[in-house]
Amino acid sequence: MYHLVKGIYSNLTRKEEYSVLVLGLDNAGKTTFLEKLKSEYSDSKKSLPPERIAPTVGQNVGYITFEKTHLRLWDLGGQENLRTLWESYYNDAHGIVFVVDSSDRKRLEECKRALEIIITNEDVEGLPILMLANKQDREDRLEVEDIKEIFNKIAERMSARDSRVLPISALSGDGLKDAVEWLTTRLVRNKQNRPPTLK
């Protein structure tokens, strides 16, 4: 009897969890973004201070809860030799956050090519994609409108998929709530296409 009740309870209390890939070139601020999210929205509130964040070689994983929506975030290394590994995560992903360094004008073309490779992969079809124009706290940044203009041609290829460009500062947390709010709304809306994992 105990096992039956335990099984029913476990079934009733299972939570939906969405996997989100945090992608972008190295030094775009992906890990800083993940750590800031953890400090704001994880149960433990444990996160690395910015001065202790090193370049990601491989992956970092973080869990957050936003308005009863549980997210598992995969921060994947953005060095050129690691980007080929990204596609092995696409099948299990429910959404993608693509982080752009707004202050690194020299690498915008490289950034654009990396995003084009992502969105043309058939395993990404139908996934919501949130592009974050990071480092908006810096004086040498490009404005969000400038970044949107650069990436407009890519957006045309994204058909009816949900996509958005939002300004943030992963360091200060400005724009973080808008980003998480937009993302969770789209993940839940897209669950018929890509059902969440039950935990």
Side-chain angles (χ1 to χ4, degrees):
M1 186 68 171
Y2 167 77
H3 294 293
L4 176 64
V5 171
K6 184 180 175 192
I8 292 170
Y9 176 77
S10 294
N11 214 18
L12 291 173
T13 57
R14 289 196 315 182
K15 297 172 183 166
E16 294 182 347
E17 184 179 270
Y18 297 89
S19 287
V20 177
L21 304 181
V22 181
L23 307 176
L25 305 187
D26 51 305
N27 200 39
K30 300 180 302 298
T31 306
T32 306
F33 168 70
L34 176 62
E35 293 301 324
K36 195 68 174 176
L37 279 178
K38 284 164 53 180
S39 75
E40 297 287 324
Y41 299 108
S42 75
D43 294 335
S44 68
K45 303 283 185 197
K46 284 185 183 175
S47 67
L48 285 172
E51 64 276 5
R52 291 196 47 221
I53 295 172
T56 302
V57 178
Q59 66 185 24
N60 293 312
V61 182
Y63 298 87
I64 68 162
T65 301
F66 181 77
E67 296 179 356
K68 299 182 184 175
T69 303
H70 303 281
L71 304 181
R72 181 190 320 165
L73 295 119
W74 298 84
D75 161 28
L76 304 179
Q79 294 88 340
E80 192 170 359
N81 60 332
L82 296 175
R83 290 178 216 156
T84 54
L85 301 173
W86 291 354
E87 62 186 45
S88 59
Y89 292 83
Y90 294 162
N91 264 331
D92 297 321
H94 297 95
I96 292 175
V97 172
F98 190 82
V99 183
V100 178
D101 181 346
S102 302
S103 66
D104 193 351
R105 296 164 195 260
K106 292 178 184 169
R107 296 184 77 193
L108 279 175
E109 275 305 311
E110 183 185 355
C111 194
K112 193 166 133 182
R113 284 192 304 273
L115 183 58
E116 281 176 329
I117 291 168
I118 293 168
I119 66 155
T120 54
N121 189 301
E122 61 184 29
D123 293 333
V124 173
E125 185 60 42
L127 294 185
I129 296 181
L130 174 60
M131 186 187 297
L132 296 178
N134 190 23
K135 305 188 184 180
Q136 287 292 306
D137 52 315
R138 293 183 51 149
E139 285 185 21
D140 59 346
R141 74 189 181 277
L142 280 167
E143 296 296 329
V144 179
E145 288 71 27
D146 299 325
I147 292 175
K148 280 183 183 176
E149 195 174 307
I150 292 166
F151 290 93
N152 266 348
K153 288 197 168 121
I154 299 174
E156 289 169 11
R157 287 198 234 157
M158 295 169 84
S159 61
R161 180 181 2 211
D162 268 332
S163 64
R164 182 100 189 256
V165 179
L166 290 175
I168 68 155
S169 166
L171 209 53
S172 70
D174 287 344
L176 205 66
K177 186 171 188 279
D178 289 342
V180 178
E181 206 167 72
W182 184 91
L183 184 63
T184 52
T185 301
R186 268 50 184 196
L187 294 172
V188 172
R189 184 189 291 172
N190 195 43
K191 74 182 192 179
Q192 297 304 322
N193 179 44
R194 195 70 68 108
T197 308
L198 293 172
K199 295 282 180 188

